[in-house]
Amino acid sequence: MPPSPPLSSASSSSAVSASGSSPSRRRASPPMHSTLQREDFDEVLESEVFVDVNRLRKYARHGIPDEIRGEVWKYLLGVEKPDRSNEFTQRRARYEAYQEIDKENVEVSKRVRGEVNRYLMRTKKDCQLDPHAVPAIFEAVICAYINCNNHVEYSPALIPVCAPFVITMKNDCDVYSCFERLADVLYESSQESNINKRVAQFLSYFRTLMPELYNYFEEEDLDVGEWASSWLRYLLSKELPVPSVLSLWDVYFAMPDYIDFHPFVCLAILRHLKDSLEDLEQSEIRSMLLRLPKMNISRIVSQAYNIRSEIQARYNIAMSPRS
């Protein structure tokens, strides 16, 4: 395999721990099922001619080992091409293009630094990133994206959206390339007409499937639009613990239409937390919805498939079988 282009000065390699492993690699000796799964991925990734992305998608739905998550995500997001005949040339071109992007934006940089520091404090138990090194990566990547997309306004939500790529990627060029792919999708789906329609549809499904919980939220005068909009806009990157976000995005990036599937995951989370939420008062409900507890993402996704089937039957609508 051709070597990756050299890392830039803001490379996340500076965020690597003293042991020499990526911050996201936290297991010294993985269980047997993870080892077998790693072998499956390695067989695909080590192909010299063509990387079978369909096989990667199949495996990724069951979770990706921490050590190779970044590499797999690049293929799932289309950053790396399956045909390896021009792999080094393509990587070099992508690296050089990133180097040429203007990453200076004083106003945005200041806001990014503040939000990154808050994010690192909030997630320090789950996310072992070097607080001295990674702010520069976030600044470079987000300023580059904002400067290249004048129609996009800075939002603090860009930090948790970017963070999984900072955690999993080896250099900031890869962080930028993957973040750009996802941010473009989220921007399109979050346009006012789109997000209003998605929130309204989500609330309709919520009211139909869980009327007692929905009514309880109304009785507690909970601002449903506040949390529902955030859940739908940013793929739960703000609300879920970091390990849960990584596991959920493994599944999403293996799908061709994860934006359409995402509301059913949100409904599955509500169903999973229903009993706990009904025991809380307004402020406590709001806190839980904005800072979700750890949960078994595999079970949540399985429940989401069931909910989608239930919705399909109730509303007599056709949904894509691809995801």
Side-chain angles (χ1 to χ4, degrees):
M1 182 187 304
S4 296
L7 307 185
S8 70
S9 58
S11 169
S12 60
S13 62
S14 56
V16 171
S17 65
S19 65
S21 61
S22 164
S24 63
R25 301 175 193 175
R26 306 179 64 179
R27 249 192 228 129
S29 40
M32 181 61 70
H33 69 84
S34 294
T35 303
L36 293 175
Q37 186 186 46
R38 171 65 188 268
E39 291 174 355
D40 291 334
F41 280 101
D42 285 345
E43 182 182 352
V44 178
L45 293 172
E46 291 172 2
S47 170
E48 296 183 359
V49 178
F50 185 86
V51 173
D52 189 339
V53 177
N54 287 331
R55 282 179 66 191
L56 288 182
R57 290 194 183 103
K58 177 182 176 182
Y59 298 152
R61 291 168 187 254
H62 304 287
I64 304 171
D66 292 343
E67 299 87 350
I68 56 172
R69 176 174 282 118
E71 192 69 18
V72 175
W73 278 8
K74 284 189 287 182
Y75 283 102
L76 297 182
L77 290 168
V79 171
E80 293 279 18
K81 304 303 180 186
D83 184 352
R84 308 194 83 157
S85 59
N86 295 312
E87 182 178 54
F88 183 78
T89 302
Q90 292 170 351
R91 286 183 179 178
R92 173 63 65 179
R94 181 160 53 84
Y95 172 77
E96 291 177 350
Y98 175 70
Q99 291 301 105
E100 292 177 1
I101 297 175
D102 177 16
K103 303 175 186 66
E104 296 294 326
N105 191 317
V106 176
E107 180 182 350
V108 172
S109 289
K110 183 178 180 180
R111 297 173 70 182
V112 168
R113 281 195 299 272
E115 190 61 33
V116 168
N117 289 332
R118 286 186 286 273
Y119 177 84
L120 294 176
M121 286 294 295
R122 189 174 73 245
T123 63
K124 59 184 177 182
K125 291 182 179 180
D126 295 323
C127 174
Q128 296 179 348
L129 291 174
D130 184 343
H132 302 292
V134 298
I137 303 169
F138 280 97
E139 284 182 52
V141 168
I142 292 176
C143 287
Y145 184 75
I146 296 292
N147 289 343
C148 288
N149 297 273
N150 295 328
H151 57 284
V152 177
E153 296 184 4
Y154 171 77
S155 165
L158 292 176
I159 304 304
V161 172
C162 184
F165 303 118
V166 176
I167 294 168
T168 59
M169 303 290 161
K170 294 181 179 179
N171 64 73
D172 48 336
C173 174
D174 287 340
V175 173
Y176 176 80
S177 298
C178 291
F179 171 74
E180 179 185 37
R181 294 294 177 107
L182 179 59
D184 286 349
V185 171
L186 297 184
Y187 176 81
E188 181 62 29
S189 67
S190 296
Q191 291 303 291
E192 185 173 357
S193 58
N194 291 336
I195 193 62
N196 289 343
K197 180 179 178 180
R198 292 174 64 214
V199 169
Q201 186 179 62
F202 170 76
L203 294 179
S204 175
Y205 291 163
F206 177 25
R207 184 168 54 244
T208 298
L209 292 177
M210 291 166 273
E212 292 180 359
L213 183 60
Y214 184 91
N215 291 335
Y216 183 65
F217 281 7
E218 287 200 324
E219 290 171 10
E220 289 294 318
D221 198 24
L222 192 71
D223 184 357
V224 178
E226 176 192 19
W227 61 267
S229 178
S230 177
W231 280 27
L232 294 173
R233 280 178 185 267
Y234 306 114
L235 301 183
L236 296 167
S237 60
K238 295 170 60 179
E239 293 82 12
L240 280 174
V242 172
S244 299
V245 174
L246 298 179
S247 296
L248 181 61
W249 288 13
D250 287 348
V251 178
Y252 280 179
F253 295 160
M255 294 179 168
D257 50 3
Y258 55 87
I259 292 295
D260 294 335
F261 185 71
H262 179 62
F264 304 109
V265 170
C266 295
L267 291 168
I269 289 174
L270 286 174
R271 181 171 282 179
H272 174 71
L273 297 175
K274 180 177 180 295
D275 292 343
S276 298
L277 290 167
E278 289 177 341
D279 288 335
L280 303 176
E281 297 180 351
Q282 185 207 62
S283 61
E284 297 169 317
I285 295 172
R286 182 178 180 276
S287 295
M288 177 175 281
L289 294 175
L290 296 180
R291 290 289 179 268
L292 293 167
K294 289 183 180 180
M295 56 190 75
N296 186 317
I297 293 299
S298 294
R299 291 181 182 176
I300 294 297
V301 170
S302 295
Q303 180 71 283
Y305 278 114
N306 293 337
I307 288 174
R308 187 178 67 170
S309 297
E310 187 177 344
I311 290 290
Q312 185 175 8
R314 282 175 180 255
Y315 285 76
N316 193 28
I317 55 177
M319 295 182 184
S320 169
R322 295 176 298 168
S323 62

